[in-house]
Amino acid sequence: MRGAHVLNTAAALLPIALGLGCSGGDPTQTNLEFLPEMVDSVPFDAFSQNPNTRDGKTLMAPARGAVARGHTPLHFGPGPEEAARAGRELQSPLPAAPEHLKRGEVLYKRFCGACHGAVGAGDGPVVPPFPVPPNLTLPHAVNMPDGQIFHVISFGQGNMPPHKTQIAQADRWAIVQFVRSLQQPKGAKQ
Ligand code: HEC
């Protein structure tokens, strides 16, 4: 313990000793440079030129098709045709489970209820003046495949705005699960 104390004291005094050693000289002259490797970094700087890379830049662009960690690409654009294709091609990655349903309910109330209403009847508190949405429990929405509802949430539809930047993909699927539960005939709801 005593040894450590002496070492700590020495470490604390070292910068002062160095400071004294470096000051007091001619201010127009460069002082003694201590540990110059810390000033002039050995690796290439992010924005410096680099003779070793193909485009001569140190900071390289990601390889074509690279996917950022934790990011699931969504290869769809907006519009009804893409919505129909999403309906054919996309499957929910979430199994039907109470925790997803619960999460979907919270998010539905937060992001959808204002327009679509608490049970999807299209009677949320902001309509009017916002355009009245279709009742989500009518056959048109009931017959939409999960992937299409996911697409509508992501990219919007007609007067409905897109939500893909506000709601994470997994959360959008949780909302789909909750919308499905609203569409169950009364009494069959979990
Ligand atoms: C600003 C109001 C608004 C919000 C918020 C909103 N919607 Fe919509 N939604 C609409 C309107 C209006 C339509 C009808 C769009 C059209 O076809 O012109 C619609 C259409 C839909 C449809 C298609 C129904 C059909 O039968 O064609 C689904 C499904 C849907 N919304 C689900 C959602 C979900 C889930 C959320 C929350 C993530 C949400 N909406 C948020 C206004 C909204």
Side-chain angles (χ1 to χ4, degrees):
M1 284 307 277
R2 208 181 147 71
H5 180 72
V6 170
L7 272 182
N8 281 343
T9 312
L13 290 177
L14 186 65
I16 299 172
L18 285 171
L20 287 176
C22 297
S23 64
D26 180 351
T28 62
Q29 296 297 307
T30 310
N31 277 330
L32 174 76
E33 217 174 72
F34 179 64
L35 294 180
E37 296 85 350
M38 293 183 72
V39 179
D40 308 310
S41 102
V42 181
F44 289 98
D45 288 333
F47 294 101
S48 66
Q49 291 188 351
N50 192 319
N52 304 310
T53 56
R54 246 178 257 155
D55 60 358
K57 295 175 185 166
T58 297
L59 208 60
M60 289 189 286
R64 265 194 67 160
V67 177
R69 231 172 248 262
H71 175 80
T72 314
L74 187 59
H75 299 292
F76 289 88
E81 276 145 39
E82 288 288 89
R85 183 167 75 86
R88 290 190 302 272
E89 295 179 7
L90 289 182
Q91 296 280 337
S92 175
L94 302 183
E99 72 259 30
H100 298 318
L101 193 62
K102 193 104 201 86
R103 173 102 185 126
E105 180 172 9
V106 169
L107 292 165
Y108 176 90
K109 283 189 181 141
R110 217 173 270 169
F111 287 101
C112 325
C115 294
H116 285 277
V119 294
D123 58 353
V126 305
V127 291
F130 277 85
V132 181
N135 186 326
L136 294 180
T137 64
L138 290 181
H140 188 259
V142 173
N143 292 331
M144 281 182 172
D146 285 357
Q148 188 173 352
I149 294 185
F150 176 85
H151 186 283
V152 172
I153 299 173
S154 305
F155 294 93
Q157 173 185 298
N159 281 323
M160 175 177 150
H163 287 74
K164 67 178 185 312
T165 53
Q166 291 106 304
I167 313 176
Q169 282 202 33
D171 283 344
R172 280 177 254 156
W173 285 114
I175 295 176
V176 173
Q177 212 170 98
F178 179 69
V179 170
R180 286 297 180 219
S181 81
L182 291 179
Q183 295 171 336
Q184 300 288 317
K186 276 212 167 54
K189 242 186 266 173
Q190 293 124 339

